[in-house]
Coordinates of all heavy atoms in Angstrom, one line a residue:
K1 N 32.9 -31.1 -36.7 CA 34.1 -31.6 -37.4 C 34.5 -33.0 -36.8 O 34.8 -33.9 -37.6 CB 35.2 -30.6 -37.3 CG 36.5 -31.1 -37.9 CD 37.6 -30.0 -37.8 CE 38.9 -30.5 -38.4 NZ 39.9 -29.5 -38.2
K2 N 34.4 -33.1 -35.5 CA 35.0 -34.3 -34.9 C 33.9 -35.5 -34.8 O 34.3 -36.6 -34.7 CB 35.5 -34.0 -33.5 CG 36.7 -33.0 -33.5 CD 37.0 -32.6 -32.0 CE 38.1 -31.6 -32.0 NZ 39.4 -32.2 -32.4
L3 N 32.6 -35.1 -34.7 CA 31.6 -36.1 -34.6 C 30.8 -36.3 -35.8 O 30.1 -37.3 -35.9 CB 30.7 -35.7 -33.4 CG 31.3 -35.5 -32.1 CD1 30.3 -35.1 -31.0 CD2 32.1 -36.8 -31.6
G4 N 30.8 -35.3 -36.7 CA 29.9 -35.3 -37.8 C 28.6 -34.6 -37.5 O 28.2 -34.5 -36.3
L5 N 28.0 -33.9 -38.5 CA 26.9 -33.1 -38.3 C 25.7 -33.7 -37.5 O 25.2 -33.2 -36.5 CB 26.3 -32.5 -39.6 CG 25.1 -31.5 -39.5 CD1 25.5 -30.3 -38.6 CD2 24.7 -31.1 -40.9
E6 N 25.2 -34.8 -38.0 CA 24.1 -35.5 -37.4 C 24.3 -36.0 -36.0 O 23.5 -35.8 -35.1 CB 23.6 -36.6 -38.3 CG 22.9 -36.2 -39.6 CD 21.8 -35.2 -39.4 OE1 20.9 -35.5 -38.5 OE2 21.8 -34.1 -40.0
R7 N 25.5 -36.6 -35.8 CA 25.8 -37.1 -34.5 C 26.0 -35.9 -33.5 O 25.5 -36.0 -32.4 CB 27.2 -37.9 -34.6 CG 27.5 -38.6 -33.4 CD 28.7 -39.5 -33.8 NE 29.6 -39.9 -32.7 CZ 30.9 -40.2 -32.9 NH1 31.4 -40.2 -34.1 NH2 31.6 -40.6 -31.8
A8 N 26.6 -34.8 -33.9 CA 26.8 -33.7 -33.0 C 25.4 -33.1 -32.7 O 25.2 -32.7 -31.5 CB 27.6 -32.6 -33.7
K9 N 24.5 -33.0 -33.6 CA 23.1 -32.4 -33.4 C 22.4 -33.2 -32.4 O 21.6 -32.7 -31.6 CB 22.4 -32.3 -34.7 CG 22.9 -31.1 -35.6 CD 22.1 -31.1 -36.9 CE 20.7 -30.9 -36.7 NZ 19.9 -30.8 -38.1
K10 N 22.5 -34.5 -32.4 CA 21.7 -35.4 -31.5 C 22.3 -35.5 -30.1 O 21.6 -35.9 -29.2 CB 21.7 -36.8 -32.1 CG 20.8 -36.9 -33.4 CD 20.9 -38.3 -34.0 CE 20.1 -38.3 -35.3 NZ 20.2 -39.7 -35.9
S11 N 23.6 -35.1 -30.0 CA 24.2 -35.4 -28.7 C 24.8 -34.3 -27.9 O 25.1 -34.4 -26.7 CB 25.4 -36.4 -28.9 OG 26.5 -35.8 -29.6
S12 N 24.9 -33.1 -28.5 CA 25.7 -32.0 -27.9 C 24.9 -30.9 -27.1 O 24.0 -30.4 -27.6 CB 26.5 -31.3 -29.0 OG 27.3 -32.2 -29.7
Y13 N 25.3 -30.8 -25.9 CA 24.8 -29.7 -25.0 C 23.3 -29.8 -24.9 O 22.6 -28.8 -25.3 CB 25.3 -28.3 -25.5 CG 26.8 -28.2 -25.4 CD1 27.6 -28.5 -26.5 CD2 27.4 -27.8 -24.2 CE1 29.0 -28.4 -26.5 CE2 28.8 -27.7 -24.2 CZ 29.6 -28.0 -25.3 OH 30.9 -27.9 -25.2
L14 N 22.8 -30.9 -24.4 CA 21.3 -31.1 -24.5 C 20.7 -30.5 -23.2 O 20.0 -31.3 -22.5 CB 21.0 -32.6 -24.6 CG 21.7 -33.3 -25.8 CD1 21.3 -34.8 -25.9 CD2 21.3 -32.6 -27.1
F15 N 20.7 -29.3 -23.0 CA 20.2 -28.6 -21.8 C 18.7 -28.8 -21.6 O 18.2 -29.2 -20.6 CB 20.6 -27.1 -21.8 CG 22.0 -26.8 -21.9 CD1 22.5 -25.7 -22.5 CD2 23.0 -27.7 -21.4 CE1 23.8 -25.3 -22.6 CE2 24.4 -27.4 -21.5 CZ 24.8 -26.3 -22.1
Q16 N 18.0 -28.5 -22.7 CA 16.5 -28.6 -22.5 C 16.1 -30.1 -22.4 O 15.1 -30.4 -21.7 CB 15.8 -28.0 -23.7 CG 14.3 -27.9 -23.6 CD 13.8 -27.2 -22.4 OE1 14.3 -26.1 -22.0 NE2 12.9 -27.8 -21.6
S17 N 16.7 -31.0 -23.1 CA 16.4 -32.4 -22.9 C 16.7 -32.9 -21.5 O 15.9 -33.7 -20.9 CB 17.3 -33.3 -23.9 OG 16.9 -33.0 -25.2
L18 N 17.7 -32.4 -20.9 CA 18.0 -32.7 -19.5 C 16.9 -32.2 -18.6 O 16.4 -32.9 -17.7 CB 19.4 -32.1 -19.1 CG 20.6 -32.8 -19.6 CD1 21.8 -32.0 -19.5 CD2 20.8 -34.2 -18.8
L19 N 16.4 -31.0 -18.8 CA 15.3 -30.4 -18.0 C 14.1 -31.2 -18.3 O 13.3 -31.5 -17.3 CB 15.1 -28.9 -18.4 CG 16.1 -27.9 -17.8 CD1 15.9 -26.6 -18.4 CD2 16.2 -27.9 -16.4
T20 N 13.8 -31.5 -19.5 CA 12.6 -32.2 -19.8 C 12.5 -33.6 -19.1 O 11.5 -34.1 -18.7 CB 12.4 -32.4 -21.4 OG1 12.4 -31.1 -22.0 CG2 11.1 -33.1 -21.7
G21 N 13.7 -34.2 -19.0 CA 13.8 -35.5 -18.4 C 13.8 -35.4 -16.8 O 13.9 -36.5 -16.2
G22 N 13.7 -34.2 -16.3 CA 13.6 -34.0 -14.8 C 14.9 -33.8 -14.1 O 14.9 -33.8 -12.9
A23 N 16.0 -33.5 -14.8 CA 17.3 -33.3 -14.2 C 17.4 -31.9 -13.7 O 16.7 -30.9 -14.3 CB 18.4 -33.6 -15.2
K24 N 18.2 -31.6 -12.7 CA 18.5 -30.3 -12.2 C 19.8 -29.9 -12.9 O 20.8 -30.6 -12.9 CB 18.7 -30.3 -10.8 CG 17.4 -30.3 -9.9 CD 16.8 -28.9 -9.8 CE 15.5 -28.9 -9.0 NZ 15.7 -29.2 -7.6
L25 N 19.8 -28.7 -13.5 CA 21.0 -28.1 -14.1 C 21.7 -27.2 -13.1 O 21.0 -26.4 -12.4 CB 20.6 -27.3 -15.4 CG 20.0 -28.0 -16.6 CD1 19.8 -27.1 -17.7 CD2 20.9 -29.2 -17.0
A26 N 23.0 -27.2 -13.1 CA 23.8 -26.2 -12.4 C 24.8 -25.6 -13.4 O 25.6 -26.4 -14.0 CB 24.5 -26.9 -11.2
F27 N 24.6 -24.3 -13.7 CA 25.4 -23.7 -14.7 C 26.8 -23.2 -14.0 O 26.8 -22.8 -12.9 CB 24.7 -22.5 -15.3 CG 23.7 -22.8 -16.3 CD1 22.9 -21.8 -16.9 CD2 23.6 -24.1 -16.8 CE1 22.0 -22.2 -17.9 CE2 22.6 -24.5 -17.8 CZ 21.8 -23.4 -18.3
G28 N 27.8 -23.2 -14.9 CA 29.1 -22.7 -14.5 C 29.9 -22.3 -15.7 O 29.4 -22.3 -16.8
S29 N 31.2 -22.0 -15.4 CA 32.1 -21.5 -16.5 C 33.2 -22.5 -16.8 O 33.7 -22.5 -17.9 CB 32.6 -20.1 -16.1 OG 33.5 -20.2 -15.0
D30 N 33.7 -23.2 -15.8 CA 34.9 -24.0 -15.9 C 36.1 -23.0 -16.0 O 37.2 -23.4 -16.5 CB 34.9 -24.9 -17.0 CG 35.9 -26.1 -16.9 OD1 36.4 -26.3 -15.8 OD2 36.1 -26.8 -17.9
W31 N 35.9 -21.8 -15.5 CA 37.1 -20.8 -15.6 C 38.3 -21.4 -15.0 O 38.3 -22.0 -14.0 CB 36.6 -19.5 -14.8 CG 37.6 -18.4 -14.9 CD1 37.9 -17.7 -16.1 CD2 38.4 -17.8 -13.9 NE1 38.8 -16.7 -15.8 CE2 39.1 -16.8 -14.5 CE3 38.5 -18.1 -12.5 CZ2 40.0 -16.0 -13.7 CZ3 39.4 -17.3 -11.8 CH2 40.1 -16.2 -12.4
P32 N 39.5 -21.2 -15.7 CA 39.7 -20.3 -16.8 C 39.6 -21.0 -18.2 O 40.0 -20.4 -19.2 CB 41.2 -19.9 -16.6 CG 41.8 -21.1 -16.0 CD 40.7 -21.7 -15.1

C-alpha cells in the first residue's frame, strides 16, 4: 500500500538476496 506492488516486491525483506550476496543474517523479534 505504501510503496506500490512492484517497488515493495523488489525491496522488502530480502533475506535470501542478503545471503546470496555473502551477508551474515542475525534473526530476532524486536519484542515487544
Side-chain angles (χ1 to χ4, degrees):
K1 179 180 178 182
K2 294 173 185 290
L3 304 178
L5 178 60
E6 289 305 312
R7 189 170 155 205
K9 285 175 63 176
K10 292 177 181 178
S11 70
S12 302
Y13 299 93
L14 305 183
F15 302 151
Q16 186 56 49
S17 292
L18 285 162
L19 286 175
T20 301
K24 283 279 180 71
L25 297 182
F27 279 175
S29 65
D30 201 12
W31 186 66

